[in-house]
Amino acid sequence: MDFALGPALLFCPADRPERFAGAVAKADAVIVDLEDAVLPAAKSQARENLLTADLDPARVIVRVNDPASAEFTADLDAVARTPFRTVMVAKTEHAGSLDVFDEIYDLIALCETAAGVLHAAQIAAHPRVAALMWGAEDLVASIGGTASRFPDGRYRDLARQARASVLLAAAAHGKVAIDAVHLDIDDEEGLAAEAEDAAASGFVATACIHPKQVAAIRAAYRPSAEMVNWAREVLAAAEGERGVFRYDGRMVDEPVLRHARAVLARA
């Protein structure tokens, strides 16, 4: 899977079909959610809504319930009857649980429990996995905690370690990583800072829960004009150099050139 969906991925409950088209229009892709956003009594209708959804498959991700749940098999049966082939698997804990998916699917494994984070490398190595995502709230809940963040909005160390672990596991196996949602919808400054850090750290996208968060995420992943100019100039300067060289007072070697290429790729 060439992850070219864009940086802002918007969750939309599968039991709210009237929101599907708007979500796709407002974000880079929509995550139609059959899991946490849907109450147990509404799961069956949510799957029916998925079957009748008239959406571009290239811009749709379907989040299914976790492999250990009673809803998982029904979710898979429903997805198989649609044109949607990018599936986010909630609470993925073991690579073997993904073997039920045929080769036609691209999977986004959501590592949001202690087991999922600890097994992130094995999960990333699965041939059907295209991307990893992590989740703070389910992770903390899975080990008996009560808050993933400090009162000032900063992640606690547990969440920060999980975030880094999932990013590294994805990169080690040539897969991409998606950053977790920012639950405080009105905290635009915090979201922007978090998304900017995600882009600089190597995440390819950030998931969100409200359309008003899309603009901040897109802006965070879009390199500034100054960054783009620097990247173009330093790569042009490298064409006439061999090995390490000095540019604008700074030592430039291959890692710096890779940074420059990453900037242009994001641009």
Side-chain angles (χ1 to χ4, degrees), residues 139 147-150 154-164:
L139 171 62
S148 66
R149 298 176 185 265
F150 291 107
R154 292 179 298 117
Y155 276 127
R156 296 181 185 275
D157 288 347
L158 168 68
R160 292 175 59 203
Q161 179 175 335
R163 184 176 187 247

Tab-separated table of all heavy atoms in Angstrom, residues 139 147-150 154-164:
chain	number	residue	atom	x	y	z
A	139	LEU	N	-5.019	2.175	25.676
A	139	LEU	CA	-3.797	1.644	26.268
A	139	LEU	C	-3.799	1.833	27.777
A	139	LEU	O	-3.560	0.887	28.536
A	139	LEU	CB	-2.573	2.337	25.657
A	139	LEU	CG	-1.235	2.039	26.336
A	139	LEU	CD1	-0.905	0.563	26.237
A	139	LEU	CD2	-0.129	2.891	25.733
A	147	ALA	N	-5.724	8.098	33.173
A	147	ALA	CA	-5.491	9.289	32.340
A	147	ALA	C	-4.200	9.131	31.554
A	147	ALA	O	-3.160	8.793	32.113
A	147	ALA	CB	-5.424	10.548	33.193
A	148	SER	N	-4.274	9.409	30.260
A	148	SER	CA	-3.078	9.317	29.418
A	148	SER	C	-2.269	10.606	29.434
A	148	SER	O	-1.119	10.619	28.993
A	148	SER	CB	-3.471	8.996	27.975
A	148	SER	OG	-4.201	10.074	27.402
A	149	ARG	N	-2.882	11.694	29.933
A	149	ARG	CA	-2.226	12.997	29.918
A	149	ARG	C	-2.217	13.633	31.302
A	149	ARG	O	-3.056	13.329	32.147
A	149	ARG	CB	-2.942	13.949	28.938
A	149	ARG	CG	-2.938	13.501	27.488
A	149	ARG	CD	-3.748	14.460	26.622
A	149	ARG	NE	-3.885	14.021	25.249
A	149	ARG	CZ	-3.093	14.395	24.250
A	149	ARG	NH1	-2.077	15.223	24.491
A	149	ARG	NH2	-3.294	13.963	23.025
A	150	PHE	N	-1.271	14.544	31.482
A	150	PHE	CA	-1.254	15.387	32.665
A	150	PHE	C	-2.318	16.469	32.508
A	150	PHE	O	-2.820	16.706	31.400
A	150	PHE	CB	0.122	16.036	32.835
A	150	PHE	CG	1.219	15.067	33.199
A	150	PHE	CD1	2.183	14.707	32.264
A	150	PHE	CD2	1.283	14.520	34.474
A	150	PHE	CE1	3.199	13.821	32.594
A	150	PHE	CE2	2.302	13.633	34.811
A	150	PHE	CZ	3.249	13.276	33.870
A	154	ARG	N	-0.039	17.465	28.444
A	154	ARG	CA	1.113	16.658	28.020
A	154	ARG	C	0.844	15.173	28.265
A	154	ARG	O	0.225	14.791	29.252
A	154	ARG	CB	2.363	17.067	28.792
A	154	ARG	CG	2.897	18.443	28.490
A	154	ARG	CD	4.125	18.744	29.338
A	154	ARG	NE	3.809	18.735	30.762
A	154	ARG	CZ	4.327	17.884	31.637
A	154	ARG	NH1	5.187	16.958	31.245
A	154	ARG	NH2	3.985	17.952	32.923
A	155	TYR	N	1.330	14.339	27.328
A	155	TYR	CA	1.228	12.903	27.525
A	155	TYR	C	2.067	12.453	28.715
A	155	TYR	O	3.166	12.959	28.947
A	155	TYR	CB	1.730	12.154	26.287
A	155	TYR	CG	0.720	11.971	25.190
A	155	TYR	CD1	1.018	12.364	23.888
A	155	TYR	CD2	-0.517	11.374	25.439
A	155	TYR	CE1	0.098	12.176	22.861
A	155	TYR	CE2	-1.432	11.182	24.419
A	155	TYR	CZ	-1.122	11.584	23.134
A	155	TYR	OH	-2.028	11.403	22.116
A	156	ARG	N	1.553	11.495	29.457
A	156	ARG	CA	2.345	10.839	30.483
A	156	ARG	C	3.402	9.955	29.814
A	156	ARG	O	3.302	9.622	28.627
A	156	ARG	CB	1.446	10.000	31.397
A	156	ARG	CG	0.446	10.840	32.189
A	156	ARG	CD	-0.429	9.988	33.099
A	156	ARG	NE	-1.441	10.821	33.744
A	156	ARG	CZ	-1.245	11.511	34.856
A	156	ARG	NH1	-0.051	11.441	35.478
A	156	ARG	NH2	-2.196	12.245	35.388
A	157	ASP	N	4.417	9.564	30.581
A	157	ASP	CA	5.542	8.808	30.015
A	157	ASP	C	5.102	7.511	29.351
A	157	ASP	O	5.663	7.102	28.329
A	157	ASP	CB	6.577	8.509	31.099
A	157	ASP	CG	7.351	9.751	31.517
A	157	ASP	OD1	7.268	10.771	30.809
A	157	ASP	OD2	8.042	9.699	32.556
A	158	LEU	N	4.114	6.842	29.916
A	158	LEU	CA	3.624	5.597	29.330
A	158	LEU	C	3.157	5.818	27.895
A	158	LEU	O	3.519	5.063	26.985
A	158	LEU	CB	2.467	5.047	30.163
A	158	LEU	CG	1.677	3.904	29.523
A	158	LEU	CD1	2.539	2.659	29.442
A	158	LEU	CD2	0.398	3.626	30.293
A	159	ALA	N	2.367	6.857	27.679
A	159	ALA	CA	1.856	7.147	26.345
A	159	ALA	C	2.983	7.551	25.403
A	159	ALA	O	3.008	7.132	24.234
A	159	ALA	CB	0.799	8.245	26.417
A	160	ARG	N	3.906	8.341	25.890
A	160	ARG	CA	5.020	8.767	25.044
A	160	ARG	C	5.857	7.565	24.615
A	160	ARG	O	6.303	7.482	23.463
A	160	ARG	CB	5.886	9.779	25.795
A	160	ARG	CG	5.196	11.116	26.050
A	160	ARG	CD	6.069	12.023	26.900
A	160	ARG	NE	7.346	12.279	26.273
A	160	ARG	CZ	8.449	12.644	26.932
A	160	ARG	NH1	8.410	12.782	28.245
A	160	ARG	NH2	9.560	12.883	26.282
A	161	GLN	N	6.078	6.628	25.529
A	161	GLN	CA	6.853	5.439	25.173
A	161	GLN	C	6.109	4.604	24.138
A	161	GLN	O	6.715	4.105	23.176
A	161	GLN	CB	7.144	4.594	26.408
A	161	GLN	CG	7.940	3.328	26.081
A	161	GLN	CD	8.324	2.548	27.316
A	161	GLN	OE1	8.422	3.099	28.407
A	161	GLN	NE2	8.544	1.252	27.150
A	162	ALA	N	4.812	4.442	24.324
A	162	ALA	CA	4.027	3.662	23.367
A	162	ALA	C	4.053	4.313	21.989
A	162	ALA	O	4.187	3.631	20.966
A	162	ALA	CB	2.590	3.535	23.868
A	163	ARG	N	3.898	5.618	21.962
A	163	ARG	CA	3.909	6.360	20.696
A	163	ARG	C	5.221	6.125	19.946
A	163	ARG	O	5.223	5.834	18.741
A	163	ARG	CB	3.705	7.839	20.985
A	163	ARG	CG	3.597	8.763	19.780
A	163	ARG	CD	3.306	10.174	20.280
A	163	ARG	NE	3.011	11.113	19.206
A	163	ARG	CZ	3.817	12.135	18.881
A	163	ARG	NH1	4.958	12.332	19.523
A	163	ARG	NH2	3.461	12.964	17.907
A	164	ALA	N	6.327	6.258	20.654
A	164	ALA	CA	7.630	6.064	20.028
A	164	ALA	C	7.836	4.610	19.615
A	164	ALA	O	8.395	4.329	18.539
A	164	ALA	CB	8.734	6.510	20.991
